[in-house]
Structure formats: C-alpha cells, structure tokens
Amino acid sequence: MILEIKDLSVGFHTYRGDINAVRGVSLNVDEGEIVGIVGESGCGKSVTAHAVMGLLPQENSFIKDGSIKLLNQDITNLSDKEMTNYRGTSMAMIFQDPMTSLNPVLTIGQQMTEGIIKAQGISQKEAYDTAVALLKRVGIPKVEERMKAYPHEFSGGMRQRVMIAMALICKPKLLFADEPTTALDVTIQAQILALLDELRREMNMSIVLVSHDLGVIARICDRVNVMYAGRIVESGPVGEIFHNPQHPYTRGLLNSLPRVDKVDDTELPVIEGNPPDLLYDIKGCSFALRCGDAMKICAACRPDYENMGKEHFVECWLPSRDREEGHDE
C-alpha cells in the first residue's frame, strides 16, 4: 500500500474559533492505481492532500487526530524539514493554478533542475538532460529554447505540462493532482488526463486526483471518494459509484450533470441549501438539512459506513431503511 490515511481530522484557527475542515477521513491508495476525491468547493479535498504533503500553513493549521502513513512510514507529525525527505522523491503534487505555482522570475530550466539537484545531488548537466527529456515526454516543443523561457511565455496547457514534468522529475511513487485541468479547454483537458494516465502506467506510479468535476474522475480513476463537509460520505469503484450511487449527495452531483442523451430544455436539478458551518460540531449526517429523504435519525446520529458489496461503502441511514422496508414487504 502506498498511502494509508486513518481518521484524519484537520482544523484551522480563525478569529471565530477553530474550523473543522477535515473530520475523520480514511482512505487508501494502492500501488499503480488512480484514486479520485470529488466534491464541491470547500468540502476538504485539497486540505486532505495538503495535509499528506505537509503543506498546510504552519501559522494556523493543526492535525487534530488520525494518522498518515506513506510507504508504511508514519509521517503524521513530521517537521517541515523532515518532510523534505519525502516531498519530491516519494510524493509530489501538481497544484491547481500553474501560473501562480511557477516562479515568474525564474526560467523553466531553473525551476525544473533545482529540485532534482537538491534531492539527488547530481550535476547541473545531468539535471539539465533529465529535465529536457521529461519536458519532451510531456509534449513541450522546442525544449532547448523553452528551458530558457519564463512561465508567462507559455500557454495554460503548456504551463500545466511543465507542472507535471516538475512533479515527476524525481520519479515519486505517489502523485497528488489537485484540479490539474482547471481553466483548460476541453481538448487540452483530455490531453492532460491521457498524459497522466500514460505516465502512471509507465512509471508504475499511484495518483490521487482531486477534482470537483465528475467527468474528469470518471475518465481515468479506478476508485472514487465522494467528500462532503470534511467527510467521505461514499467510496468505491468508479463504475459502482456512477451506476449505483447510494448517498443522496452523490446522486445530487450526478443528476446535476448535463447529459447528451437528454434533448429537452428543462433546467438541470440543483442541490438546494448550503453546506453546514464547520465551526460547529455536527452530531448527525452533515447532509441532513439539504437531503429530501432525511429522517429524524439523520440529524441526531451520524451513520456508520455501510458495506454495500463490491467494495462500495456509504455513510447514510437510507440503505438500511430501504432494506427494512423491502423486508417488510
């Protein structure tokens, strides 16, 4: 197993009090697979990824509970200096916005080579040759010229390819791709996803794909975790989740997608209401106030994760109710 997260809770100190951004998240990533984390903005997807990478802001964040194991090593409470032994070599990250993630005053060549020189202690010439070969691999044309260029001289798609190359230059075992296709047009988006999948197979690398886009998740992921209000409310193989969703939130996300097989002009359904304020403790199901099928128990008690078979798990009271009603009939 490459990554094992157990009951992870992450909070932030604010002027209003402590915000419980991630509340008891557990997930695993096996060797060579792509695991998706999907949910609306603010549900805790990126915070979970940053917690694993050790990139949470030190001044106001804290890991409240739980553990993170990378390659069977507990990295939960390592210092920033200790985490440098893992970042780049064991795990790496593609950030949401390549324009703000790349240094505007350094050339692409400088940014590509500094990490591998520091991590592996190789010469400038070896680092340059490695960077050139990887940039060619991700589809950057005229690489020798581009190594001397600055980020603003690249298109959005090319900057994203550079970010992928930078993340992979030390050949990590685990790659976090945090909204890697945001702000890219559909054609470039498809190219980037195909490239990630191809590189994953070549390097036998695992990927955690963070996205709010269910189409992106469906395209390349093996398994998916649906997050809501800091918790994973449903998880399982992509085919199971998309064809047999059990949580009302998952069904709401899927129903809100436009479909080419619907020719009428009716409006897409929306999930009414707003997510709960994570400043306060939530006793029951965090989706209860927005759920059209909510029962009294939903607001009073948090449901356990229920095994629906085929490695499909859901945190919801409704499957139990539906089975009881079916049994009564």
Side-chain angles (χ1 to χ4, degrees):
M1 187 177 295
I2 299 296
L3 177 67
E4 182 181 12
I5 302 175
K6 282 189 176 181
D7 299 321
L8 179 67
S9 294
V10 179
F12 293 89
H13 301 299
T14 74
Y15 71 95
R16 294 178 59 209
D18 290 346
I19 300 292
N20 304 303
V22 173
R23 306 180 302 119
V25 163
S26 297
L27 66 87
N28 299 326
V29 181
D30 293 326
E31 184 176 346
E33 74 170 343
I34 304 182
V35 175
I37 305 178
V38 67
E40 60 193 332
S41 297
C43 69
K45 308 183 301 294
S46 295
V47 172
T48 301
H50 282 75
V52 177
M53 289 290 299
L55 295 175
L56 294 172
Q58 297 182 6
E59 62 274 10
N60 71 330
S61 66
F62 60 95
I63 293 180
K64 186 176 181 180
D65 201 2
S67 64
I68 305 168
K69 284 187 177 181
L70 178 70
L71 299 170
N72 294 319
Q73 298 294 317
D74 193 326
I75 63 170
T76 313
N77 296 307
L78 295 185
S79 66
D80 187 61
K81 184 177 181 180
E82 291 171 323
M83 284 298 293
T84 59
N85 296 324
Y86 294 92
R87 288 196 291 258
T89 52
S90 297
M91 59 180 173
M93 191 168 194
I94 303 170
F95 296 95
Q96 285 190 26
D97 185 356
M99 193 59 205
T100 57
S101 301
L102 293 169
N103 192 323
V105 300
L106 296 179
T107 65
I108 295 301
Q110 289 173 306
Q111 297 183 63
M112 283 289 298
T113 56
E114 64 177 356
I116 193 171
I117 290 173
K118 183 177 181 180
Q120 300 183 4
I122 62 178
S123 68
Q124 184 74 40
K125 177 66 166 57
E126 290 175 304
Y128 179 88
D129 291 341
T130 302
V132 166
L134 194 48
L135 285 175
K136 287 181 179 178
R137 180 65 193 81
V138 299
I140 302 293
K142 300 179 181 179
V143 174
E144 286 76 10
E145 295 178 24
R146 292 295 194 171
M147 286 282 284
K148 302 174 185 177
Y150 291 88
H152 72 271
E153 299 177 83
F154 287 70
S155 67
M158 289 296 105
R159 285 195 293 266
Q160 194 62 279
R161 290 174 186 271
V162 170
M163 286 294 298
I164 293 172
M166 287 179 63
L168 298 181
I169 197 165
C170 293
K171 298 181 179 179
K173 291 290 185 182
L174 176 65
L175 176 67
F176 282 96
D178 190 359
E179 303 280 7
T181 57
T182 296
L184 299 179
D185 64 59
V186 176
T187 302
I188 301 300
Q189 181 183 96
Q191 293 175 4
I192 295 296
L193 292 176
L195 176 62
L196 283 173
D197 194 23
E198 190 175 337
L199 291 169
R200 184 261 303 204
R201 297 176 190 278
E202 285 184 11
M203 302 174 69
N204 194 31
M205 175 179 61
S206 302
I207 298 177
V208 176
L209 179 60
V210 176
S211 182
H212 66 275
D213 190 333
L214 288 164
V216 169
I217 295 292
R219 186 179 180 89
I220 64 170
C221 287
D222 302 306
R223 292 188 292 117
V224 59
N225 298 274
V226 181
M227 280 194 80
Y228 181 77
R231 288 188 63 79
I232 293 175
V233 296
E234 188 164 8
S235 66
V238 166
E240 268 292 302
I241 299 297
F242 276 72
H243 292 103
N244 187 29
Q246 294 294 312
H247 200 283
Y249 178 62
T250 308
R251 291 198 291 267
L253 291 178
L254 292 170
N255 289 337
S256 66
L257 290 175
R259 294 177 53 170
V260 296
D261 59 344
K262 288 188 176 182
V263 295
D264 56 45
D265 57 355
T266 57
E267 293 185 2
L268 290 171
V270 298
I271 303 175
E272 300 291 344
N274 297 303
D277 189 340
L278 298 181
L279 182 68
Y280 306 103
D281 290 333
I282 302 171
K283 293 182 179 180
C285 172
S286 52
F287 192 64
L289 293 178
R290 303 175 73 183
C291 180
D293 297 314
M295 304 173 287
K296 288 184 179 179
I297 194 173
C298 297
C301 301
R302 178 189 296 165
D304 294 327
Y305 283 107
E306 186 162 356
N307 188 347
M308 306 303 297
K310 300 181 181 180
E311 299 183 351
H312 184 175
F313 296 87
V314 61
E315 186 183 74
C316 184
W317 290 109
L318 292 176
S320 298
R321 183 203 67 178
D322 293 342
R323 273 202 309 274
E324 290 176 3
E325 289 180 352
H327 180 72
D328 291 341
E329 292 175 1

